[in-house]
Amino acid sequence: MSWTLAELAKHVDAEIRGDADCIIDGVATLSSASSSKISFLANSKYRKFLSHCQAGAVLVTEADAAAVEGNALVVKDPYVAYAKIASFLFPAKTVVAGVHPTAWLDPRSHVHDSAQIGAHVFIDADVTIAENVEIGPGCVIQQGVTIGAGSRLVANVTLCHGVSIGHRVILHPGVVIGADGFGIANDNGRWINVPQLGSVEIGDDVEIGANTTIDRGAIENTVIGHGVKLDNQIQVGHNCRIGNNTVIAGCVGIAGSTLIGADCAIGGGAGLGGHLSIADGVQLTGMTMVTKSITEAGVYSSGIPAEPTKQWHKNVVRYRQMESLHQRVRELEQLLNNQD
Amino acid sequence: MSWTLAELAKHVDAEIRGDADCIIDGVATLSSASSSKISFLANSKYRKFLSHCQAGAVLVTEADAAAVEGNALVVKDPYVAYAKIASFLFPAKTVVAGVHPTAWLDPRSHVHDSAQIGAHVFIDADVTIAENVEIGPGCVIQQGVTIGAGSRLVANVTLCHGVSIGHRVILHPGVVIGADGFGIANDNGRWINVPQLGSVEIGDDVEIGANTTIDRGAIENTVIGHGVKLDNQIQVGHNCRIGNNTVIAGCVGIAGSTLIGADCAIGGGAGLGGHLSIADGVQLTGMTMVTKSITEAGVYSSGIPAEPTKQWHKNVVRYRQMESLHQRVRELEQLLNNQD
Amino acid sequence: MSWTLAELAKHVDAEIRGDADCIIDGVATLSSASSSKISFLANSKYRKFLSHCQAGAVLVTEADAAAVEGNALVVKDPYVAYAKIASFLFPAKTVVAGVHPTAWLDPRSHVHDSAQIGAHVFIDADVTIAENVEIGPGCVIQQGVTIGAGSRLVANVTLCHGVSIGHRVILHPGVVIGADGFGIANDNGRWINVPQLGSVEIGDDVEIGANTTIDRGAIENTVIGHGVKLDNQIQVGHNCRIGNNTVIAGCVGIAGSTLIGADCAIGGGAGLGGHLSIADGVQLTGMTMVTKSITEAGVYSSGIPAEPTKQWHKNVVRYRQMESLHQRVRELEQLLNNQD
């Protein structure tokens, strides 16, 4: 399949600079594109590739349009336009209704006829699966789970009892939703379990990356808002609530009962303590350590970036001497004050 | 089902302040409880909710009892009392003996008649499963594994060959126990595998969270003591030993051959280097980086908490100037000494 | 089975000090070895165990040979020699050709007759599996995957569509390869998905630890070079490329589009930002935070190790006062300059 540049431009409301009849049959990066591919410039790091780019067309902003040697599609946001064109050129595969012969559906489950149920899937009693849902191979859906229309569990996903999944949700392989939260109480030196009686609610249009885990609430539910995007290997503790459209990169850990606002962006490897409250619109850079609530939107950071190990050793020594350095400066100040 | 406050008080040895005949049928948080629910105050952050609390009763310490407007159950440790009452009101579901028709048991395995074996489970030769064990859907139990009485594998758990699991152990979805440790040796620039010949021993009353991994020992076994509680997404390297009743929060990484004492508490996201020894009773706050052995009980920390990114940038610059700042202070001191 | 020391010495080209006829039937650590076991000294931390070691023989370097009281095998690298002897004494189990009755192979898949396909495995259309491959229980192999000869998927591994696996690759339980990368674009406040059209290529002789995830590329492929060794719970973002023979310890997170050179060694819990380039031969110590490209081989570090929490609190306060301390030192310098 292929399209003219004019057809693609219309699809993303772009202004064409160059040959509107150029034929496009795929996407490519700036550095590897051939003449039938469309590419894009969204990160200034890659601007250097514009000059030798062989692409049939490049999606750019007005500011970068002059630097494109071939055809350009000028748009407000090249990455958004690229996403739309790529989705148009390569639409997601459609759900094929049917139950694989090796799947097991409890007779008390309610699975819509349009759903696709993969190999070795287990669906327990009182589960409700809406239209056009795809449950990939190896998934385990425990008692009382509900899954909204158009959602997709890729493979080997585990949904524990009672969990509720919204519409058009994508769960990647290895995701575990609704495992017991880490609730323990110390009874005279022996740890006893605190029953985890809440569940998990996942909103609409949520995407959750491979091997991410979201624990069920202790009493009330853990809640993931609409449009939230979670990357791989994230841990969300019990009772957390994550506001709409917040995005979280890989390897983030969020301890229990922490509330994260809407429209936040949390960098990879960040860690958030428990029982905190993070305002709407907060951004955390990668590996940031959050030990207190953040009450105002803005960008927050912590951590000291890598340096050669020799210097690192010296700086750590100096770090541990800061108290005495302060003392020495104070003494110098007193000495000078006495001189005056 | 419902109980009088008097019945619940007896169950946790509490003193009743108020109406002993009050009917309780569930649990709730302080802020959302209705008049038939029992709640608790265990974290001072939530004391503000006492004044408008609508709960039928609140579990509190003597110190907080006066602040409760309705009925109170006065106990030494409200969280422990809550755990016991919640377990009493909502007992864990009982094991239903039987093997799911889609499960596969090797004829040379020994599975107790009282065990519950779920859908698509695979149990290999020489596996021994004791009474009242539940193996949830999708679990893989490889050759020679033993599982003690009353243990529960929720779903999609993998136990590699020869692993030994104690009594009353709970393994949440995605747990992997006994994968090969990270043993490699560099043979003239090429990495060769070091066979991982040990196994893993898990003690009694251990709980292991979703997607946590515990590697098998290189020669001897990796050992997890009795009563240890591990949260989600923890990595325990080969040859580690974790002492009885130690608790570890999510996303902690423990490199190989590290020994952790009994009764330790390790905060989320902490990292421990390899070949270290951590004394009994050590506590680490979240994201602490441990590069040396810790020989005395106590609380240890590292990491600098989040700050606005602008300040962070400035502080990182200053951090890297510490060496020259020391030099400047030394020069000032010498200058002043020469003046005297 | 047992061997003489002479036979083992020949296998690793070692010089025998002591009784060449000593019978060895297994391996053990220095501290626990009995007289029919062979042990090794590779980490100076364990030299103290040499003096009371009961082993039948110890693999050591020339420098340590004098300290061995019993028989010694003198080699250049005791750990490499140990790996070879252990592999010789305990060879990996051989693949048993055949398909488990509960496995499901799509008729359009191509599975070599010599392959071993475990219980509850699902193999989709257009999958190609070469000779002597072992696919363990519960694995999901999606459409178009290719797996090279001699590779082994231990259990519950998920390979998403189109992924390519080299020869002699080992994938431990819970590994997910080829899940969609974290590609989202913000379309006026709403996050839309960027189709992930690339795949993942895994080279030969790669080993990947339990629950590690490697995302498929956005346009081009994510590439893992030959001989790469990845520990457990590592996250590799889309478009990353990891050079030959690089080793990465557990819990490392690598953001998208980062290029890592050959022969690197990355310590546990390290975090690497996106769109970076790391030179060949770079080593990172544990928990290092990398925010910029590293252009030269060498050892790099960051992070401040644990200290007692009281001191930590003080040091964090001092850290935040560095700006004002610099100001005070500058004032002292000016004051003294004015005096002169």
PDB file of all heavy atoms in Angstrom, chain B residues 160-188:
ATOM      1  N   CYS B 160      12.001 -22.998  39.652  1.00  0.00           N
ATOM      2  CA  CYS B 160      12.958 -23.794  38.870  1.00  0.00           C
ATOM      3  C   CYS B 160      13.374 -25.049  39.649  1.00  0.00           C
ATOM      4  O   CYS B 160      13.103 -25.173  40.847  1.00  0.00           O
ATOM      5  CB  CYS B 160      14.158 -22.934  38.503  1.00  0.00           C
ATOM      6  SG  CYS B 160      13.689 -21.536  37.442  1.00  0.00           S
ATOM      7  N   HIS B 161      14.065 -25.938  38.962  1.00  0.00           N
ATOM      8  CA  HIS B 161      14.348 -27.274  39.493  1.00  0.00           C
ATOM      9  C   HIS B 161      14.992 -27.256  40.880  1.00  0.00           C
ATOM     10  O   HIS B 161      15.899 -26.471  41.153  1.00  0.00           O
ATOM     11  CB  HIS B 161      15.237 -28.051  38.526  1.00  0.00           C
ATOM     12  CG  HIS B 161      16.611 -27.480  38.374  1.00  0.00           C
ATOM     13  ND1 HIS B 161      16.891 -26.434  37.546  1.00  0.00           N
ATOM     14  CD2 HIS B 161      17.785 -27.807  38.950  1.00  0.00           C
ATOM     15  CE1 HIS B 161      18.173 -26.147  37.614  1.00  0.00           C
ATOM     16  NE2 HIS B 161      18.744 -26.964  38.463  1.00  0.00           N
ATOM     17  N   GLY B 162      14.471 -28.096  41.744  1.00  0.00           N
ATOM     18  CA  GLY B 162      15.102 -28.350  43.034  1.00  0.00           C
ATOM     19  C   GLY B 162      14.817 -27.349  44.130  1.00  0.00           C
ATOM     20  O   GLY B 162      15.259 -27.529  45.273  1.00  0.00           O
ATOM     21  N   VAL B 163      14.073 -26.294  43.817  1.00  0.00           N
ATOM     22  CA  VAL B 163      13.800 -25.258  44.812  1.00  0.00           C
ATOM     23  C   VAL B 163      12.950 -25.837  45.948  1.00  0.00           C
ATOM     24  O   VAL B 163      12.085 -26.682  45.719  1.00  0.00           O
ATOM     25  CB  VAL B 163      13.080 -24.076  44.123  1.00  0.00           C
ATOM     26  CG1 VAL B 163      12.348 -23.207  45.106  1.00  0.00           C
ATOM     27  CG2 VAL B 163      14.088 -23.280  43.297  1.00  0.00           C
ATOM     28  N   SER B 164      13.202 -25.352  47.168  1.00  0.00           N
ATOM     29  CA  SER B 164      12.467 -25.835  48.333  1.00  0.00           C
ATOM     30  C   SER B 164      11.699 -24.688  48.988  1.00  0.00           C
ATOM     31  O   SER B 164      12.290 -23.670  49.362  1.00  0.00           O
ATOM     32  CB  SER B 164      13.490 -26.437  49.313  1.00  0.00           C
ATOM     33  OG  SER B 164      12.957 -26.489  50.600  1.00  0.00           O
ATOM     34  N   ILE B 165      10.390 -24.866  49.125  1.00  0.00           N
ATOM     35  CA  ILE B 165       9.502 -23.829  49.671  1.00  0.00           C
ATOM     36  C   ILE B 165       8.929 -24.341  50.993  1.00  0.00           C
ATOM     37  O   ILE B 165       8.450 -25.477  51.063  1.00  0.00           O
ATOM     38  CB  ILE B 165       8.330 -23.557  48.700  1.00  0.00           C
ATOM     39  CG1 ILE B 165       8.835 -23.253  47.286  1.00  0.00           C
ATOM     40  CG2 ILE B 165       7.414 -22.461  49.225  1.00  0.00           C
ATOM     41  CD1 ILE B 165       9.549 -21.953  47.137  1.00  0.00           C
ATOM     42  N   GLY B 166       8.949 -23.506  52.035  1.00  0.00           N
ATOM     43  CA  GLY B 166       8.494 -23.909  53.363  1.00  0.00           C
ATOM     44  C   GLY B 166       6.971 -23.980  53.488  1.00  0.00           C
ATOM     45  O   GLY B 166       6.236 -24.053  52.498  1.00  0.00           O
ATOM     46  N   HIS B 167       6.517 -23.957  54.718  1.00  0.00           N
ATOM     47  CA  HIS B 167       5.088 -24.019  55.027  1.00  0.00           C
ATOM     48  C   HIS B 167       4.476 -22.618  55.026  1.00  0.00           C
ATOM     49  O   HIS B 167       5.121 -21.654  55.412  1.00  0.00           O
ATOM     50  CB  HIS B 167       4.892 -24.645  56.415  1.00  0.00           C
ATOM     51  CG  HIS B 167       5.456 -26.020  56.526  1.00  0.00           C
ATOM     52  ND1 HIS B 167       4.861 -27.119  55.958  1.00  0.00           N
ATOM     53  CD2 HIS B 167       6.580 -26.478  57.141  1.00  0.00           C
ATOM     54  CE1 HIS B 167       5.588 -28.199  56.211  1.00  0.00           C
ATOM     55  NE2 HIS B 167       6.638 -27.841  56.931  1.00  0.00           N
ATOM     56  N   ARG B 168       3.214 -22.563  54.634  1.00  0.00           N
ATOM     57  CA  ARG B 168       2.439 -21.303  54.691  1.00  0.00           C
ATOM     58  C   ARG B 168       3.125 -20.155  53.955  1.00  0.00           C
ATOM     59  O   ARG B 168       3.083 -19.008  54.386  1.00  0.00           O
ATOM     60  CB  ARG B 168       2.168 -20.913  56.144  1.00  0.00           C
ATOM     61  CG  ARG B 168       1.341 -21.916  56.944  1.00  0.00           C
ATOM     62  CD  ARG B 168       1.324 -21.579  58.420  1.00  0.00           C
ATOM     63  NE  ARG B 168       2.650 -21.503  58.995  1.00  0.00           N
ATOM     64  CZ  ARG B 168       3.369 -22.558  59.408  1.00  0.00           C
ATOM     65  NH1 ARG B 168       2.859 -23.777  59.330  1.00  0.00           N
ATOM     66  NH2 ARG B 168       4.580 -22.381  59.899  1.00  0.00           N
ATOM     67  N   VAL B 169       3.787 -20.453  52.873  1.00  0.00           N
ATOM     68  CA  VAL B 169       4.447 -19.433  52.057  1.00  0.00           C
ATOM     69  C   VAL B 169       3.457 -18.920  51.013  1.00  0.00           C
ATOM     70  O   VAL B 169       2.677 -19.708  50.464  1.00  0.00           O
ATOM     71  CB  VAL B 169       5.693 -20.032  51.372  1.00  0.00           C
ATOM     72  CG1 VAL B 169       6.254 -19.102  50.309  1.00  0.00           C
ATOM     73  CG2 VAL B 169       6.746 -20.376  52.427  1.00  0.00           C
ATOM     74  N   ILE B 170       3.463 -17.615  50.757  1.00  0.00           N
ATOM     75  CA  ILE B 170       2.618 -17.035  49.705  1.00  0.00           C
ATOM     76  C   ILE B 170       3.514 -16.456  48.617  1.00  0.00           C
ATOM     77  O   ILE B 170       4.375 -15.623  48.892  1.00  0.00           O
ATOM     78  CB  ILE B 170       1.700 -15.927  50.264  1.00  0.00           C
ATOM     79  CG1 ILE B 170       0.824 -16.472  51.389  1.00  0.00           C
ATOM     80  CG2 ILE B 170       0.833 -15.332  49.151  1.00  0.00           C
ATOM     81  CD1 ILE B 170       0.023 -15.391  52.114  1.00  0.00           C
ATOM     82  N   LEU B 171       3.293 -16.900  47.389  1.00  0.00           N
ATOM     83  CA  LEU B 171       4.068 -16.387  46.245  1.00  0.00           C
ATOM     84  C   LEU B 171       3.104 -15.727  45.264  1.00  0.00           C
ATOM     85  O   LEU B 171       2.198 -16.373  44.735  1.00  0.00           O
ATOM     86  CB  LEU B 171       4.818 -17.531  45.553  1.00  0.00           C
ATOM     87  CG  LEU B 171       5.744 -18.363  46.445  1.00  0.00           C
ATOM     88  CD1 LEU B 171       6.418 -19.468  45.633  1.00  0.00           C
ATOM     89  CD2 LEU B 171       6.792 -17.490  47.120  1.00  0.00           C
ATOM     90  N   HIS B 172       3.297 -14.449  45.036  1.00  0.00           N
ATOM     91  CA  HIS B 172       2.379 -13.695  44.187  1.00  0.00           C
ATOM     92  C   HIS B 172       2.745 -13.866  42.700  1.00  0.00           C
ATOM     93  O   HIS B 172       3.811 -14.379  42.368  1.00  0.00           O
ATOM     94  CB  HIS B 172       2.364 -12.231  44.629  1.00  0.00           C
ATOM     95  CG  HIS B 172       1.654 -12.069  45.942  1.00  0.00           C
ATOM     96  ND1 HIS B 172       0.292 -12.201  46.070  1.00  0.00           N
ATOM     97  CD2 HIS B 172       2.111 -11.861  47.204  1.00  0.00           C
ATOM     98  CE1 HIS B 172      -0.059 -12.046  47.334  1.00  0.00           C
ATOM     99  NE2 HIS B 172       1.025 -11.848  48.051  1.00  0.00           N
ATOM    100  N   PRO B 173       1.841 -13.424  41.822  1.00  0.00           N
ATOM    101  CA  PRO B 173       2.043 -13.677  40.389  1.00  0.00           C
ATOM    102  C   PRO B 173       3.379 -13.145  39.864  1.00  0.00           C
ATOM    103  O   PRO B 173       3.846 -12.085  40.255  1.00  0.00           O
ATOM    104  CB  PRO B 173       0.874 -12.935  39.743  1.00  0.00           C
ATOM    105  CG  PRO B 173      -0.201 -12.969  40.776  1.00  0.00           C
ATOM    106  CD  PRO B 173       0.532 -12.805  42.084  1.00  0.00           C
ATOM    107  N   GLY B 174       3.954 -13.906  38.952  1.00  0.00           N
ATOM    108  CA  GLY B 174       5.173 -13.470  38.286  1.00  0.00           C
ATOM    109  C   GLY B 174       6.447 -13.733  39.060  1.00  0.00           C
ATOM    110  O   GLY B 174       7.540 -13.435  38.563  1.00  0.00           O
ATOM    111  N   VAL B 175       6.326 -14.273  40.267  1.00  0.00           N
ATOM    112  CA  VAL B 175       7.532 -14.592  41.040  1.00  0.00           C
ATOM    113  C   VAL B 175       8.325 -15.678  40.308  1.00  0.00           C
ATOM    114  O   VAL B 175       7.741 -16.628  39.775  1.00  0.00           O
ATOM    115  CB  VAL B 175       7.150 -15.065  42.457  1.00  0.00           C
ATOM    116  CG1 VAL B 175       8.308 -15.788  43.137  1.00  0.00           C
ATOM    117  CG2 VAL B 175       6.679 -13.880  43.300  1.00  0.00           C
ATOM    118  N   VAL B 176       9.650 -15.518  40.290  1.00  0.00           N
ATOM    119  CA  VAL B 176      10.549 -16.526  39.719  1.00  0.00           C
ATOM    120  C   VAL B 176      11.573 -16.906  40.785  1.00  0.00           C
ATOM    121  O   VAL B 176      12.347 -16.050  41.228  1.00  0.00           O
ATOM    122  CB  VAL B 176      11.284 -15.991  38.475  1.00  0.00           C
ATOM    123  CG1 VAL B 176      12.263 -17.047  37.939  1.00  0.00           C
ATOM    124  CG2 VAL B 176      10.292 -15.580  37.390  1.00  0.00           C
ATOM    125  N   ILE B 177      11.580 -18.141  41.179  1.00  0.00           N
ATOM    126  CA  ILE B 177      12.543 -18.595  42.190  1.00  0.00           C
ATOM    127  C   ILE B 177      13.420 -19.682  41.594  1.00  0.00           C
ATOM    128  O   ILE B 177      12.921 -20.667  41.043  1.00  0.00           O
ATOM    129  CB  ILE B 177      11.827 -19.102  43.446  1.00  0.00           C
ATOM    130  CG1 ILE B 177      10.994 -17.960  44.044  1.00  0.00           C
ATOM    131  CG2 ILE B 177      12.836 -19.616  44.486  1.00  0.00           C
ATOM    132  CD1 ILE B 177      10.273 -18.316  45.315  1.00  0.00           C
ATOM    133  N   GLY B 178      14.738 -19.455  41.697  1.00  0.00           N
ATOM    134  CA  GLY B 178      15.678 -20.488  41.284  1.00  0.00           C
ATOM    135  C   GLY B 178      16.185 -20.366  39.858  1.00  0.00           C
ATOM    136  O   GLY B 178      16.780 -21.305  39.337  1.00  0.00           O
ATOM    137  N   ALA B 179      15.983 -19.199  39.241  1.00  0.00           N
ATOM    138  CA  ALA B 179      16.653 -19.000  37.946  1.00  0.00           C
ATOM    139  C   ALA B 179      18.162 -18.975  38.192  1.00  0.00           C
ATOM    140  O   ALA B 179      18.622 -18.702  39.306  1.00  0.00           O
ATOM    141  CB  ALA B 179      16.186 -17.698  37.302  1.00  0.00           C
ATOM    142  N   ASP B 180      18.923 -19.256  37.156  1.00  0.00           N
ATOM    143  CA  ASP B 180      20.385 -19.257  37.303  1.00  0.00           C
ATOM    144  C   ASP B 180      20.872 -17.901  37.797  1.00  0.00           C
ATOM    145  O   ASP B 180      20.446 -16.856  37.291  1.00  0.00           O
ATOM    146  CB  ASP B 180      21.044 -19.525  35.942  1.00  0.00           C
ATOM    147  CG  ASP B 180      21.089 -21.005  35.621  1.00  0.00           C
ATOM    148  OD1 ASP B 180      20.688 -21.827  36.477  1.00  0.00           O
ATOM    149  OD2 ASP B 180      21.540 -21.346  34.519  1.00  0.00           O
ATOM    150  N   GLY B 181      21.781 -17.914  38.757  1.00  0.00           N
ATOM    151  CA  GLY B 181      22.435 -16.689  39.172  1.00  0.00           C
ATOM    152  C   GLY B 181      23.291 -16.134  38.048  1.00  0.00           C
ATOM    153  O   GLY B 181      23.572 -16.816  37.051  1.00  0.00           O
ATOM    154  N   PHE B 182      23.713 -14.876  38.222  1.00  0.00           N
ATOM    155  CA  PHE B 182      24.476 -14.176  37.191  1.00  0.00           C
ATOM    156  C   PHE B 182      25.948 -14.528  37.370  1.00  0.00           C
ATOM    157  O   PHE B 182      26.734 -13.754  37.916  1.00  0.00           O
ATOM    158  CB  PHE B 182      24.240 -12.675  37.345  1.00  0.00           C
ATOM    159  CG  PHE B 182      24.635 -11.852  36.146  1.00  0.00           C
ATOM    160  CD1 PHE B 182      24.133 -12.158  34.895  1.00  0.00           C
ATOM    161  CD2 PHE B 182      25.469 -10.761  36.273  1.00  0.00           C
ATOM    162  CE1 PHE B 182      24.471 -11.377  33.788  1.00  0.00           C
ATOM    163  CE2 PHE B 182      25.809  -9.981  35.178  1.00  0.00           C
ATOM    164  CZ  PHE B 182      25.307 -10.302  33.931  1.00  0.00           C
ATOM    165  N   GLY B 183      26.297 -15.714  36.904  1.00  0.00           N
ATOM    166  CA  GLY B 183      27.665 -16.197  37.080  1.00  0.00           C
ATOM    167  C   GLY B 183      28.364 -16.304  35.743  1.00  0.00           C
ATOM    168  O   GLY B 183      28.045 -17.184  34.940  1.00  0.00           O
ATOM    169  N   ILE B 184      29.292 -15.409  35.504  1.00  0.00           N
ATOM    170  CA  ILE B 184      30.026 -15.416  34.242  1.00  0.00           C
ATOM    171  C   ILE B 184      31.496 -15.157  34.538  1.00  0.00           C
ATOM    172  O   ILE B 184      31.838 -14.488  35.509  1.00  0.00           O
ATOM    173  CB  ILE B 184      29.489 -14.350  33.262  1.00  0.00           C
ATOM    174  CG1 ILE B 184      29.407 -12.975  33.950  1.00  0.00           C
ATOM    175  CG2 ILE B 184      28.137 -14.753  32.721  1.00  0.00           C
ATOM    176  CD1 ILE B 184      28.977 -11.853  33.025  1.00  0.00           C
ATOM    177  N   ALA B 185      32.339 -15.728  33.732  1.00  0.00           N
ATOM    178  CA  ALA B 185      33.778 -15.532  33.895  1.00  0.00           C
ATOM    179  C   ALA B 185      34.341 -15.142  32.544  1.00  0.00           C
ATOM    180  O   ALA B 185      33.910 -15.657  31.512  1.00  0.00           O
ATOM    181  CB  ALA B 185      34.429 -16.821  34.388  1.00  0.00           C
ATOM    182  N   ASN B 186      35.276 -14.208  32.559  1.00  0.00           N
ATOM    183  CA  ASN B 186      35.795 -13.684  31.302  1.00  0.00           C
ATOM    184  C   ASN B 186      37.028 -14.471  30.845  1.00  0.00           C
ATOM    185  O   ASN B 186      38.107 -14.346  31.399  1.00  0.00           O
ATOM    186  CB  ASN B 186      36.134 -12.201  31.453  1.00  0.00           C
ATOM    187  CG  ASN B 186      36.279 -11.552  30.099  1.00  0.00           C
ATOM    188  OD1 ASN B 186      37.086 -11.994  29.296  1.00  0.00           O
ATOM    189  ND2 ASN B 186      35.462 -10.557  29.807  1.00  0.00           N
ATOM    190  N   ASP B 187      36.828 -15.280  29.815  1.00  0.00           N
ATOM    191  CA  ASP B 187      37.875 -16.145  29.294  1.00  0.00           C
ATOM    192  C   ASP B 187      38.481 -15.484  28.055  1.00  0.00           C
ATOM    193  O   ASP B 187      38.003 -15.694  26.938  1.00  0.00           O
ATOM    194  CB  ASP B 187      37.238 -17.505  28.943  1.00  0.00           C
ATOM    195  CG  ASP B 187      38.291 -18.534  28.568  1.00  0.00           C
ATOM    196  OD1 ASP B 187      39.475 -18.324  28.895  1.00  0.00           O
ATOM    197  OD2 ASP B 187      37.907 -19.548  27.956  1.00  0.00           O
ATOM    198  N   ASN B 188      39.467 -14.644  28.305  1.00  0.00           N
ATOM    199  CA  ASN B 188      40.130 -13.933  27.202  1.00  0.00           C
ATOM    200  C   ASN B 188      39.156 -13.129  26.339  1.00  0.00           C
ATOM    201  O   ASN B 188      39.164 -13.209  25.122  1.00  0.00           O
ATOM    202  CB  ASN B 188      40.889 -14.932  26.309  1.00  0.00           C
ATOM    203  CG  ASN B 188      42.068 -15.539  27.054  1.00  0.00           C
ATOM    204  OD1 ASN B 188      42.814 -14.816  27.709  1.00  0.00           O
ATOM    205  ND2 ASN B 188      42.193 -16.860  26.991  1.00  0.00           N
TER     206      ASN B 188
END
